[in-house]
Amino acid sequence: MVIEKDKVSAAESLRNTRTYGKFRCHNPSCMGRLVPTAGSSQVKCPVCGLEFRVAWIRPDFPRIRGPVWDVNRKIAQKAVAEKLGLKEES
Ligand SMILES: [Zn+2]
């Protein structure tokens, strides 16, 4: 009976680790968890704020198509501006 019990728990843990619809942030220095909400065309990284375009292969199966350049460029420019600002102050 112990073996059967183990089988069930193994199957359950497998089910739990199946992560359709979850991605790692494409920002190599971030690697935050992206979880697109169903039907949304974009997902924002909760860690670094970069945004990515989402394509829905199936209603429950999203895929990251690529970064949203406008948003990401603004974030990059802001970061650069902040760096320059700090340099000027010091
Ligand atoms: Zn990120």
Side-chain angles (χ1 to χ4, degrees):
M1 281 308 147
V2 175
I3 294 163
E4 262 180 45
K5 209 178 173 187
D6 284 345
K7 268 186 193 167
V8 169
S9 63
E12 271 174 7
S13 67
L14 247 183
R15 205 187 307 149
N16 289 338
T17 55
R18 212 176 284 169
T19 53
Y20 287 138
K22 283 176 189 166
F23 303 95
R24 287 283 170 191
C25 180
H26 289 203
N27 180 354
S29 62
C30 169
M31 300 301 279
R33 214 164 249 261
L34 305 174
V35 186
T37 46
S40 64
S41 60
Q42 290 183 4
V43 60
K44 186 175 184 174
C45 175
V47 181
C48 70
L50 295 189
E51 291 189 24
F52 299 93
R53 287 177 293 132
V54 181
W56 292 86
I57 294 162
R58 289 202 321 252
D60 60 338
F61 196 176
R63 233 187 152 158
I64 298 296
R65 293 188 65 193
V68 180
W69 289 115
D70 283 352
V71 173
N72 294 358
R73 202 180 297 131
K74 268 180 213 161
I75 290 168
Q77 281 171 351
K78 205 183 158 199
V80 170
E82 276 169 11
K83 255 187 207 170
L84 291 175
L86 283 174
K87 261 187 194 169
E88 279 169 24
E89 274 173 44
S90 60

